[in-house]
Amino acid sequence: MSSSFPLPTRRRPRTLALELVDSLGDRIRDGRIVPGDKLPTEAAIMEEFGVSRTVVREAISKLQASGLVETRHGIGTFVVGLGDGAAFRIAPEQIATLHDVIAVLELRIGLETEAAALAAARRTERNLAEMRSALDAFAAALAEGRDAVGPDFQFHQEVARATQNPHFAELMSTLGAMIIPRARLGAAEGVSEAQRSYLLRANAEHENIFDAISNRDSDAARAAMRTHLANSRERRRRAAVLSADQAGK
């Protein structure tokens, strides 16, 4: 299981519990913990996140209420799904084609450009540290020849959290890592040269977003996020045209 920053121990237990819900919920929604998996023990969660048993139990209770996990007495707590079936989400089968991916990117442009602008106005030093952690993990994945879907989603999630508006972060968590296009397309083992070139450009675009948010420049953050997502959309559109042309030959 991937590591995370310890939660600040001086915060109120309720705040800590909600942050723990976010962290565990993210792992479930982005596939690091899948339905059927058993959650770590209370003691393991306490040690990883630096929280009390009371905080862990409150967080587990909230995850149960949202339909993400169930506790089997004497056995442990298990992931049972992706949450309330009535909640808005984009299922894997809804991102099966290039057309589907482009539609999701259009949604993200509307959501995340304004999130970036708000993040620039409201971000904290801790928000910046979390974003920097995601960017460093992205760069490390590239250096090791791996894809970077997890760090990519983490960066966008941290931008949403930096708005200090929980609805942005909750919606991003609900969408999950499946909204990162290559989580569905081009999932071959390893990273090809073309993929690596794409990821290097994406990483540079992320750095532009980070710089604007760090400088508290809302207009620049909005523009940098729009450029990043619009570039991704255009790359997918070109791929769709190329695929159609090849099919017609």
Side-chain angles (χ1 to χ4, degrees):
M1 182 170 294
S2 60
S3 61
S4 62
F5 284 94
L7 301 179
T9 55
R10 286 183 287 183
R11 295 194 176 193
R12 291 181 297 127
R14 177 172 174 76
T15 301
L16 288 171
L18 291 174
E19 291 184 353
L20 183 53
V21 167
D22 284 343
S23 295
L24 294 175
D26 286 350
R27 294 180 185 186
I28 294 169
R29 293 187 181 96
D30 69 19
R32 283 175 284 171
I33 312 175
V34 300
D37 280 358
K38 183 178 178 181
L39 289 187
T41 63
E42 287 184 356
I45 296 174
M46 289 164 60
E47 180 178 358
E48 179 180 356
F49 292 93
V51 295
S52 69
R53 191 176 301 276
T54 298
V55 168
V56 174
R57 289 181 175 176
E58 181 178 349
I60 296 298
S61 176
K62 291 181 181 299
L63 290 170
Q64 288 174 327
S66 67
L68 286 168
V69 304
E70 68 176 10
T71 297
R72 302 169 192 169
H73 295 292
I75 303 176
T77 300
F78 293 81
V79 176
V80 295
L82 294 174
D84 183 0
F88 173 76
R89 72 183 184 93
I90 297 175
E93 61 270 19
Q94 294 175 287
I95 324 178
T97 68
L98 279 167
H99 178 78
D100 295 335
V101 171
I102 291 167
V104 171
L105 283 165
E106 289 175 349
L107 171 65
R108 291 180 63 194
I109 288 170
L111 170 68
E112 294 188 64
T113 54
E114 290 310 308
L118 289 173
R122 301 173 182 175
R123 59 78 175 164
T124 65
E125 290 303 313
R126 185 183 180 203
N127 292 141
L128 290 180
E130 297 283 9
M131 287 181 218
R132 174 45 59 193
S133 175
L135 292 175
D136 289 346
F138 193 112
L142 280 181
E144 295 167 10
R146 297 182 288 107
D147 202 350
V149 170
D152 194 333
F153 179 70
Q154 181 189 352
F155 175 73
H156 286 273
Q157 176 77 312
E158 296 304 337
V159 171
R161 288 195 178 116
T163 66
Q164 314 307 328
N165 179 335
H167 299 303
F168 279 96
E170 287 169 8
L171 181 52
M172 286 296 291
S173 290
T174 298
L175 295 176
M178 294 301 296
I179 64 171
I180 304 300
R182 62 194 180 283
R184 287 295 296 172
L185 301 172
E189 290 295 324
V191 178
S192 68
E193 280 305 310
Q195 258 189 314
R196 179 175 173 77
S197 176
Y198 161 75
L199 292 172
L200 285 170
R201 289 196 302 273
N203 198 32
E205 291 166 1
H206 285 160
E207 291 286 355
N208 290 338
I209 296 165
F210 176 83
D211 288 344
I213 292 174
S214 180
N215 292 331
R216 298 190 184 278
D217 188 333
S218 291
D219 289 340
R222 182 187 288 112
M225 182 66 82
R226 178 173 290 278
T227 295
H228 171 54
L229 295 175
N231 283 348
S232 186
R233 179 185 61 185
E234 290 311 306
R235 282 190 285 268
R236 265 68 198 185
R237 280 181 173 169
R238 289 196 297 272
V241 170
L242 178 61
S243 178
D245 288 346
Q246 291 175 338
K249 290 181 180 178

